[in-house]
Amino acid sequence: MARVRAELLPLTDPDDERLADYVSLTDVALRRRFEPERGLYIAESSTVLERALRAGHRPRSVLLAPRWVPDLERVLAELPGSPDDAPVPVFVADEPLLEAVTGFHVHRGALAAMHRPVLPPVAEVLARARGGAGARRVAVLEDLVDHTNVGAAFRSAAALGVDAVLVTPRCADPLYRRSVRVSMGTVFQVPWTRVDPWPGGVAVLREHGFVTASLALSEDAVTLDALAAAAPERLALVLGAEGDGLAASTLAASDVVVRIPMAGGVDSLNVAAAAAVAFWATRTA
């Protein structure tokens, strides 16, 4: 069987035009526009890159220090390919040059510019979960702006058995470098897509048999304990933006509003922490 091959390309010039995908990785505003427009995302660290490759994603190129070349070649050699496939360009440079290109010290092994996959429709994501049996637990991330929180929510979703994640149109990109890194590559493990429009997407969830439970501090909210005690067969948990929480239109469209009981005079949790608590409380076998 043919395997994926690497073409090693030593580098000495930080202004090499072949490195355009990797320039100014710390400029968040720039990368938010640049990466989707170019149909790419950046995988950072050898572990994340390996998980992306094993999930079927394919690299446009890889950028790494010489000591990481053997690990990359091993991973690529384990992936099925075609005899007609072009080898993957692997740019090899010392660490000072890597820092000059990217804007930060690359200490996690490797960077890869990956082809961004086309996101499937919501209905397809719901249907394909659980090996085609259909999703039973879904998370909806509404307008989260912090990539760290998005990544942490995905990691909790993977660890606690959430079948799929839906992100709203204004939610931060799950494939942004920081989100992917914080998720430990679980963004490649948990099926996800964008739900647009929102909160119009609540109707789509309802059509597929989901009860939509929005986490918010509302007077009419039921406790998470009460929801978990009589959890519906198909449940969508909606979590809102840091600070502002969920939109009033989302709460109005939801089937139930839920709050996490608090002690110690604390009224709320960070959204990533709240996600983990809600996922654990409503987990299924």
Side-chain angles (χ1 to χ4, degrees):
M1 178 183 294
R3 300 294 179 180
V4 177
R5 295 169 294 134
E7 179 184 9
L8 301 184
L9 302 168
L11 290 174
T12 57
D13 181 6
D15 295 320
D16 192 314
E17 62 182 13
R18 295 174 297 176
L19 301 179
D21 288 348
Y22 302 98
V23 173
S24 301
L25 291 183
T26 57
D27 188 331
V28 178
L30 170 66
R31 302 303 300 194
R32 280 175 177 166
R33 298 190 307 271
F34 178 85
E35 292 181 15
E37 289 174 358
R38 294 287 299 272
L40 68 93
Y41 69 91
I42 298 295
E44 179 185 356
S45 87
S46 54
T47 298
V48 167
L49 174 56
E50 182 170 353
R51 290 183 176 176
L53 292 171
R54 296 194 186 285
H57 295 205
R58 286 295 179 259
R60 292 155 58 112
S61 66
V62 180
L63 176 63
L64 75 176
R67 62 194 177 103
W68 297 104
V69 169
D71 284 348
L72 176 68
E73 290 183 319
R74 172 188 56 79
V75 173
L76 291 178
E78 294 173 357
L79 299 173
S82 166
D84 298 327
D85 289 343
V88 176
V90 178
F91 301 115
V92 183
D94 59 26
E95 293 187 0
L97 189 145
L98 297 182
E99 185 170 352
V101 172
T102 64
F104 70 101
H105 177 58
V106 181
H107 63 278
R108 291 182 175 86
L111 294 167
M114 307 292 293
H115 291 285
R116 183 177 286 260
V118 177
L119 292 178
V122 171
E124 182 178 328
V125 169
L126 298 178
R128 289 172 54 189
R130 291 183 175 247
R136 293 170 57 189
R137 292 292 181 270
V138 172
V140 181
L141 307 181
E142 180 185 275
D143 298 356
L144 271 61
V145 299
D146 189 312
H147 291 96
T148 298
N149 284 335
V150 172
F154 266 86
R155 189 173 182 181
S156 294
L160 299 170
V162 173
D163 299 316
V165 176
L166 306 179
V167 298
T168 63
R170 294 191 297 175
C171 184
D173 183 10
L175 291 181
Y176 182 69
R177 180 171 58 92
R178 188 175 302 154
S179 299
V180 175
R181 186 179 72 238
V182 171
S183 81
M184 292 299 294
T186 55
V187 293
F188 311 125
Q189 176 181 336
V190 180
W192 71 275
T193 195
R194 288 201 182 267
V195 53
D196 189 8
W198 182 261
V202 170
V204 177
L205 288 166
R206 194 169 288 130
E207 289 171 4
H208 286 80
F210 282 87
V211 172
T212 302
S214 290
L215 275 71
L217 300 175
S218 299
E219 292 183 1
D220 60 345
V222 304
T223 66
L224 181 60
D225 298 320
L227 176 70
E233 181 179 355
R234 300 187 186 278
L235 176 65
L237 293 163
V238 187
L239 297 118
E242 306 87 347
D244 294 335
L246 293 170
S249 57
T250 298
L251 297 178
S254 301
D255 297 304
V256 61
V257 180
V258 181
R259 61 179 175 81
I260 299 173
M262 300 285 172
V266 177
D267 64 355
S268 63
L269 296 173
N270 165 274
V271 64
V277 170
F279 298 163
W280 184 87
T282 59
R283 69 196 186 283
T284 60

